[in-house]
Amino acid sequence: MGAAALEADVKKEELDEKSTPTGIVEQSDGLVVLKDGMRLHPQPTSDPLDPLNWSSFKKHTVLAIVIYFMFTYITTTTVPAFPELQEQFGISYSQVNWTVAIPALGLAVGPLFWSSLADIFGRRIIFLTGTLIAFVSTIGAAVAKDYSNYMAARFFQGFGASPASTVGLAVVMDLFFEYERGQKLGLWVLAIDTGLLAGPIIGGFMDLVSSAWIQWLTAILFGVLLILEFVFMTETLYPRNYMLSRMPLSAGGDIDMEKIEHQKRDPHEVDLKRTKRLLMINLKPVPGMRHPNPWDSVVRFILTFQYPVVVIGVTIYCFAWYWWTLSIITMLPAAYIQYSPQIQGLLFLGLLLGTLFAEIFTSGRLSDAIVLRLAKKNGGVRLPEMRLWLAYPAALLSAKVGLIIWGVSIDKAYHWMVGQIAFFLFAAGIQMGNTVITSYIVDSYPLQSMSVITFYAVAINLSAFVDPFFIAPWQAKSGFTWAFAAQGIITFFVSVPVFALLHRYGGILREKSGQPRWVNPEYTL
């Protein structure tokens, strides 16, 4: 199919439903459900099968399954085994670095394949299929006899785990209101960063058995995850606009959500299979909505380049900030070569603790609180740019403090605790920055959340794929001090000005670029 035909196909996806200028889908009778005096998005129904109406326990059970850390854990858990892999396959340090890059490539390619399928057949079947692929390919990596077979298995590990990087976030969008998303997106980002950092810690101890047992443990974890998905993960793709026209929350005038929270109707009033009433293994398109074509995720990825706030924000974060994470992860064994793989794994604790600290104290909840306070001062209107305030301290922590101090500490042979402090500060900044950018692009285009997160997932995993190819030669030529000081300078003096410009002109850019001509399928009739 030609590019013109693909774009023409997308142009057919006009926004049928009535929506407010801020992208809030209204009730069929024009009513807007309120929370603390501000409009809710998405608009809830009176249907007990609506994921927004599920119990907190049910929501968080599904959330815990879909934000699993395995999809980044697989990329780095082998890092402490680099010496063994070099000896086993007869490869250089640069080549063993590529074993981290290849699953990141699978994670980058996967969203373009899975995203539209998840909007057609639902989230559950995509998670089950992807986890099964990751499980089988992990076994392949454990038994691989040569470098090429090992690399092929590593690619499919990433490809199979990749639904978590886009479809997982779509599930978060299905389950929670906009005002809750800062915290939930923070948890999703926490899963990304925790997986990257916990992988080497666990892998270091599994290396006591053998490098192959790092993969066998990963296979066991994927097997457990597959069982949890099958038993506990309920379908969350919900025909929201269709059900709003049939089971709206009804009252005279605007509705206060807290006052009608328990007024739910009989789900059998509408004879449409949805969420909990779908088959355990659903192989048919989810009814009640208009579905994209299987290739639309690729088309929409290309068309997203028309929306500069997404392109600028994601590109700068991924290629001027985030990818230095892989620099630290892949160069740590070379920096601390005097230590055993187990000790090297434990040296990732500083990164892990910084990530956890940021999420608890300075990330998702703080972002939500800042937006709520600013929105009340703005007449109850939330603006996506309100999310960007945390970007500035985050860049300062990651760049000017974390990266530079760590590089200097290695060349000057400072005590390893100095490196741990630098790791803590760097990781805290990365966690805050990741939460900022994902919240910002989703708030900018909430009706197209799957597309913008697909764009983000492809970009961030491409950055993780590229970095290991150049960091080892760069460090060998320049040394740790100048290699990592340069990274810190790039991060701060590129990211901060660009985010400041987005902060000032993001709304104007969105207005000039207009709204995308497509929406998530749950907002179609």
Side-chain angles (χ1 to χ4, degrees), residues 75-265:
T75 62
T76 60
T77 188
T78 58
V79 168
F82 274 7
E84 287 89 340
L85 293 174
Q86 285 182 264
E87 181 179 351
Q88 179 181 352
F89 297 127
I91 54 179
S92 67
Y93 194 87
S94 291
Q95 287 176 304
V96 81
N97 258 358
W98 302 346
T99 66
V100 173
I102 287 301
L105 180 63
L107 287 167
V109 173
L112 297 175
F113 178 80
W114 297 116
S115 297
S116 287
L117 296 178
D119 282 342
I120 299 171
F121 301 103
R123 324 303 194 196
R124 174 183 161 87
I125 187 65
I126 299 304
F127 267 95
L128 290 171
T129 304
T131 304
L132 182 61
I133 292 172
F135 173 73
V136 173
S137 58
T138 301
I139 295 175
V143 301
K145 300 299 183 184
D146 56 55
Y147 184 59
S148 59
N149 285 329
Y150 181 77
M151 293 290 271
R154 292 284 281 161
F155 172 83
F156 282 103
Q157 276 185 301
F159 183 80
S162 64
S165 64
T166 50
V167 184
L169 193 57
V171 172
V172 176
M173 302 298 105
D174 296 338
L175 290 170
F176 298 100
F177 293 107
E178 183 182 47
Y179 73 90
E180 301 173 290
R181 286 179 184 168
Q183 183 203 14
K184 308 310 174 187
L185 286 173
L187 292 173
W188 181 76
V189 170
L190 181 65
I192 297 175
D193 295 338
T194 301
L196 278 174
L197 306 174
I201 297 173
I202 298 172
F205 286 97
M206 292 310 300
D207 191 57
L208 287 169
V209 183
S210 71
S211 60
W213 257 99
I214 296 176
Q215 298 293 353
W216 285 118
L217 175 63
T218 305
I220 292 170
L221 293 175
F222 273 126
V224 172
L225 179 62
L226 188 63
I227 295 171
L228 292 174
E229 289 171 352
F230 186 81
V231 176
F232 296 109
M233 185 179 177
T234 305
E235 180 57 58
T236 63
L237 180 59
Y238 182 76
R240 184 154 308 283
N241 268 18
Y242 181 91
M243 294 304 298
L244 280 170
S245 67
R246 287 155 178 80
M247 298 183 72
L249 287 169
S250 58
D254 290 352
I255 307 169
D256 187 336
M257 182 63 179
E258 293 181 337
K259 294 181 180 178
I260 50 126
E261 189 172 10
H262 301 292
Q263 297 180 13
K264 305 298 186 293
R265 290 159 60 178

Side-chain angles (χ1 to χ4, degrees), residues 363-389:
S363 194
R365 285 185 180 274
L366 180 58
S367 177
D368 285 342
I370 291 172
V371 171
L372 180 61
R373 183 171 182 177
L374 293 175
K376 287 181 177 179
K377 292 182 178 180
N378 194 39
V381 178
R382 293 183 179 91
L383 296 176
E385 284 67 35
M386 295 172 180
R387 295 285 187 188
L388 295 177
W389 283 108

